[in-house]
Amino acid sequence: NDPLQVFSVINEDNQDIIKITGEIYGGINTTKEYQNYHLVFQFKWGWNRYEPRLEKKRDMSRGI
């Protein structure tokens, strides 16, 4: 249920990419448990900003 289409999958450079607009706070979860895996991801900030962080600096220190 994503009426604002905050989450989408796009294809860029022949790779499927999960795109998250950031318009609302959200997360990605799974109902399964995993072990012995290697997670690699990249992120980049877009130009759009949304309330309540419209005027605040981006928090570059947050990550996994």
Side-chain angles (χ1 to χ4, degrees), residues 8-61:
S8 60
V9 177
I10 62 171
N11 190 285
E12 188 174 287
D13 297 329
N14 249 2
Q15 294 184 30
D16 288 334
I17 297 171
I18 299 172
K19 180 179 178 183
I20 305 170
T21 66
E23 188 171 352
I24 59 171
Y25 293 135
I28 298 175
N29 299 311
T30 179
T31 57
K32 295 181 180 180
E33 291 186 22
Y34 296 91
Q35 63 182 7
N36 298 323
Y37 65 91
H38 185 83
L39 175 65
V40 177
F41 66 93
Q42 291 181 318
F43 71 91
K44 60 183 176 180
W45 296 109
W47 294 105
N48 295 338
R49 293 180 181 209
Y50 303 98
E51 292 291 348
R53 299 187 59 84
L54 195 58
E55 301 297 325
K56 295 183 180 180
K57 291 183 179 180
R58 290 181 169 91
D59 187 352
M60 302 297 266
S61 66

